[in-house]
Amino acid sequence: GGAQTVAAGNNITLTAGGGGLLNDAGLKAVGGLQSVSAGGALTLTGGAGGDDNIAFIDGFAGQSIIAASILMTAGDNAGTLGNSAEIRQLGAGSLQTIAVSGALNLFGGGIASSGTDNRTLITQAGSGLQQVSANSINLVAGGGTSGLRNDAQIITVSGSTASQQVDIGSGGLTLLGGTGSAGNNKAFISLLADLFVDSGTNATQLVNVTGGGSIAITGGSNAINSPPGNVNSAGIFAAATGPGGAQTITVAGTGGVA
């Protein structure tokens, strides 16, 4: 197929099935640029039950997404295959651009089920720039009582040479780790190029907050569960070991970091 254009004057809603297996809801473009625009809210919701019921937007040759707001909420799974909500750019050399005039909210799942891999992810797997902008960004991991890897993240994948730019307005950036005692319920903005293999990547990570917005980073509420979870963490992370690799975090004006 060629390029894919999906445009709505109001809302676009993708909701995965609430039971069974592989009852996905999504938009997928393989042969050309994927362009998705919503005059209102763009909403992706993972399945409320069953397994591997994913709400997704996948582009294999570049991805451009514009919306007034984006809400991504992972579901609750019955087994070990998560009911995720994901936006993924999977083309080898392609760009990923996401522009939101209002709020960009990602909520990890597994809340009721204490499930596994109910994830909300915005992912760049190619080498082109990942550029995400919004007035506010909120990444909140899940996990319920004992869940595992119910995270909320904006990432470039390990092995990718992509740089990452995240621009946030007056609403600020909030990162909140999850609660599941099995752990790894994370809330992160991450550039993962050289995380597992040191390839000397020259990728850069740039996080800008303007308009008086602030950054608030809070680790998970491990103490509410027994045993407490491990690595229910939150943060901004970059692994690019080349001489041109760099991480820059800027909070302009009256905003702060907490």
Side-chain angles (χ1 to χ4, degrees):
Q4 179 188 63
T5 300
V6 179
N10 201 345
N11 302 329
I12 296 175
T13 302
L14 302 171
T15 305
L21 179 68
L22 293 171
N23 295 303
D24 299 338
L27 302 171
K28 181 178 180 179
V30 176
L33 177 66
Q34 180 184 55
S35 299
V36 178
S37 63
L42 174 60
T43 303
L44 292 82
T45 306
D51 280 286
D52 211 12
N53 298 314
I54 299 173
F56 67 89
I57 300 177
D58 285 354
F60 287 79
Q63 188 175 61
S64 172
I65 297 175
I66 301 171
S69 64
I70 295 179
L71 172 61
M72 300 171 64
T73 306
D76 280 284
N77 64 326
T80 59
L81 301 174
N83 293 334
S84 298
E86 303 193 37
I87 295 175
R88 301 174 286 208
Q89 198 300 115
L90 303 168
S94 302
L95 303 173
Q96 182 184 51
T97 304
I98 298 173
V100 183
S101 56
L104 172 59
N105 294 324
L106 277 66
F107 295 98
I111 305 300
S113 66
S114 292
T116 299
D117 289 331
N118 298 289
R119 315 177 77 184
T120 48
L121 299 173
I122 296 176
T123 302
Q124 165 62 304
S127 61
L129 177 68
Q130 181 188 53
Q131 185 170 12
V132 179
S133 62
N135 183 61
S136 65
I137 296 179
N138 300 290
L139 308 182
V140 180
T145 301
S146 59
L148 171 68
R149 288 191 303 269
N150 299 287
D151 45 0
Q153 301 198 62
I154 299 172
I155 64 172
T156 69
V157 303
S158 175
S160 167
T161 59
S163 291
Q164 182 183 61
Q165 180 175 336
V166 181
D167 296 309
I168 306 148
S170 60
L173 171 64
T174 300
L175 305 172
L176 177 60
T179 58
S181 61
N184 283 288
N185 301 290
K186 299 179 181 181
F188 267 86
I189 295 175
S190 295
L191 186 150
L192 301 179
D194 295 329
L195 179 63
F196 297 116
V197 178
D198 186 349
S199 300
T201 303
N202 290 316
T204 60
Q205 182 190 58
L206 180 62
V207 178
N208 293 316
V209 182
T210 59
S214 295
I215 297 176
I217 302 174
T218 306
S221 302
N222 295 336
I224 70 173
N225 294 322
S226 180
N230 296 314
V231 203
N232 288 330
S233 50
I236 303 171
F237 176 79
T241 61
Q247 180 190 56
T248 304
I249 301 170
T250 303
V251 180
T254 59
V257 179

